[in-house]
Amino acid sequence: MNLWTNIRRWLSPDPDPEAEAEAKRMQLERETIKTSQLGVGGTNMPPTPDVLDPKNER
C-alpha cells in the first residue's frame, strides 16, 4: 500500500454511523422531492404543499 494513504487513514477520524445515516436519509428525501416535482408521467405538474413543506400540516 501507499505510505501516504496509510498516514491519511490513521489521521482521519472514524466515520460517524449516525451522521452517515442522516446524510443518506437527506439524500433520499431530496431524490423523492425531485421525483415528485416531475409529476405523474413526467409532466410539469407543480408539487403539492405537503411535498414542499411536509412539517406544515394544513
Side-chain angles (χ1 to χ4, degrees), residues 26-39 47 51-54:
M26 290 176 68
Q27 177 65 28
L28 179 61
E29 186 176 321
R30 282 192 298 269
E31 290 173 1
T32 302
I33 291 171
K34 286 180 183 179
T35 303
S36 70
Q37 288 176 345
L38 288 176
V51 172
L52 293 174
D53 192 9

Side-chain angles (χ1 to χ4, degrees), residues 2-56:
N2 187 353
L3 178 63
W4 181 249
T5 304
N6 287 339
I7 292 172
R8 282 189 4 203
R9 191 177 306 144
W10 291 329
L11 295 177
S12 66
D14 291 334
D16 181 15
E18 289 183 20
E20 288 181 0
E22 179 69 12
K24 286 180 183 179
R25 186 193 63 76
M26 290 176 68
Q27 177 65 28
L28 179 61
E29 186 176 321
R30 282 192 298 269
E31 290 173 1
T32 302
I33 291 171
K34 286 180 183 179
T35 303
S36 70
Q37 288 176 345
L38 288 176
V40 179
T43 61
N44 277 340
M45 187 173 158
T48 58
D50 61 322
V51 172
L52 293 174
D53 192 9
K55 294 179 183 175
N56 184 12

